């Protein structure tokens, strides 16, 4: 009369586990039990089924005992390895940001055991922060560029996962802030109107894209000249950044 089961398949923290136990000889029915360092979360039922959901990783050695209907007994020491779940940072493409505008994104993990602790290495965009508890990236970017950085997360059991992410931060969209109508001019008198833009990357180049300016031209960002004819002139201005 002996226990045939000599080894047990590995278990994974947080995953349901079921394994039948076997004997050779003796007289049924059998009654099973286990003593010693049984993995937490698992039990050996009297009918010879080991089951449950392990809660802690490690290598556990314990003793199986079985008694048959005539009270004959057999024991055997076995080892069960419990591994941690697959633990990694969920790979994602982070959205681009714009300087001066609010930014928000959240990182997440696969596996591991909460709570988690997050941190970011060098190269993290200026003006943004990574919440150590939630993995949320937030703030207002202050510098344009392509920022590549490493993120590290540690779970409750001190398992560590790392990955590299990139955030591209651009300047605000290029726009002309000077609005129509422009102030009026007088035939024969010098005229000067300065134009302004926002966003993009200076320096700017100004030009007349279409229409009739009445003889006025751009010098840098200033529309200037001496009007020769009276009238209302409609034209389109274009600005190009660096």
């Amino acid at each position: 009369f002996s226990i045939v089961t000599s080894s047990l398949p590995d278990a994974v923290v947080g995953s349901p586990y079921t394994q039948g136990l076997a004997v050779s000889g003796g007289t049924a029915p059998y009654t099973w039990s286990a003593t010693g360092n049984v993995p937490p979360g698992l039990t050996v039922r009297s009918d010879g089924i080991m089951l449950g959901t392990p809660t802690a990783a490690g290598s556990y050695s314990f003793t199986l005992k079985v008694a048959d209907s005539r009270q004959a007994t057999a024991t055997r020491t076995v080892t069960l390895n419990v591994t941690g779940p697959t633990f990694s940072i969920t790979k994602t493409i982070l959205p681009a940001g714009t300087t001066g505008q609010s930014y928000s994104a959240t990182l997440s993990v696969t596996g591991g055991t909460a709570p988690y602790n997050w941190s970011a290495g060098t190269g993290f965009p200026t003006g943004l922060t990574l919440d150590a508890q939630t993995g949320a990236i937030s703030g207002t970017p202050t510098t344009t560029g392509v920022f590549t950085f490493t993120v590290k997360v540690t779970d409750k059991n001190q398992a560590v996962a790392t990955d590299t992410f990139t955030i591209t931060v651009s300047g605000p969209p290029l726009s002309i802030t000077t609005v129509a109508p422009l102030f009026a001019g007088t035939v024969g008198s010098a005229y000067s109107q300065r134009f302004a833009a926002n966003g993009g990357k200076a320096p700017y180049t100004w030009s007349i894209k279409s229409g009739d300016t009445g003889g006025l031209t751009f010098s840098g960002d200033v529309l200037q000249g001496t009007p020769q004819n009276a009238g209302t002139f409609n034209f389109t201005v274009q600005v190009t950044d660096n």
Side-chain angles (χ1 to χ4, degrees), residues 19-111:
Q19 178 63 36
L21 307 173
V23 299
S24 175
T27 304
Y30 305 105
T31 302
W32 292 82
S33 62
T35 57
N37 192 23
V38 179
L42 297 181
T43 59
V44 174
R45 294 194 322 203
S46 61
D47 61 356
I49 302 295
M50 185 172 191
L51 80 171
T53 301
T55 59
S59 181
Y60 300 88
S61 293
F62 52 96
T63 299
L64 295 174
K65 179 180 179 180
V66 62
D68 72 358
S69 61
R70 296 182 179 182
Q71 298 307 304
T73 61
T75 60
R76 186 163 197 167
T77 299
V78 294
T79 299
L80 175 58
N81 294 315
V82 180
T83 61
T86 301
F87 181 43
S88 62
I89 299 174
T90 305
K91 193 64 177 178
T92 185
I93 297 176
L94 295 176
T98 302
T99 55
Q101 297 183 12
S102 178
Y103 183 90
S104 178
T106 301
L107 301 174
S108 61
V109 298
T110 300

Side-chain angles (χ1 to χ4, degrees), residues 16-207:
Y17 183 87
T18 303
Q19 178 63 36
L21 307 173
V23 299
S24 175
T27 304
Y30 305 105
T31 302
W32 292 82
S33 62
T35 57
N37 192 23
V38 179
L42 297 181
T43 59
V44 174
R45 294 194 322 203
S46 61
D47 61 356
I49 302 295
M50 185 172 191
L51 80 171
T53 301
T55 59
S59 181
Y60 300 88
S61 293
F62 52 96
T63 299
L64 295 174
K65 179 180 179 180
V66 62
D68 72 358
S69 61
R70 296 182 179 182
Q71 298 307 304
T73 61
T75 60
R76 186 163 197 167
T77 299
V78 294
T79 299
L80 175 58
N81 294 315
V82 180
T83 61
T86 301
F87 181 43
S88 62
I89 299 174
T90 305
K91 193 64 177 178
T92 185
I93 297 176
L94 295 176
T98 302
T99 55
Q101 297 183 12
S102 178
Y103 183 90
S104 178
T106 301
L107 301 174
S108 61
V109 298
T110 300
T113 304
Y116 305 104
N117 184 268
W118 296 84
S119 62
T122 57
F124 199 69
T126 53
L128 299 184
T129 59
L130 174 62
D131 190 289
Q133 295 181 329
T134 66
I137 300 173
S138 61
T140 302
T142 59
T143 305
T144 61
V146 178
F147 299 88
T148 299
F149 51 93
T150 298
V151 172
K152 174 183 175 181
V153 61
T154 305
D155 79 347
K156 179 182 179 181
N157 298 320
Q158 300 306 302
V160 175
T162 61
D163 209 337
T164 300
F165 293 88
T166 297
I167 295 177
T168 300
V169 179
S170 303
L174 179 61
S175 63
I176 297 174
T177 57
T178 302
V179 296
L182 304 181
F183 69 83
T186 302
V187 172
S189 297
Y191 180 91
S192 177
Q193 167 74 58
R194 186 175 299 277
F195 279 72
N198 183 57
K201 185 176 182 180
Y204 305 118
T205 300
W206 295 88
S207 62

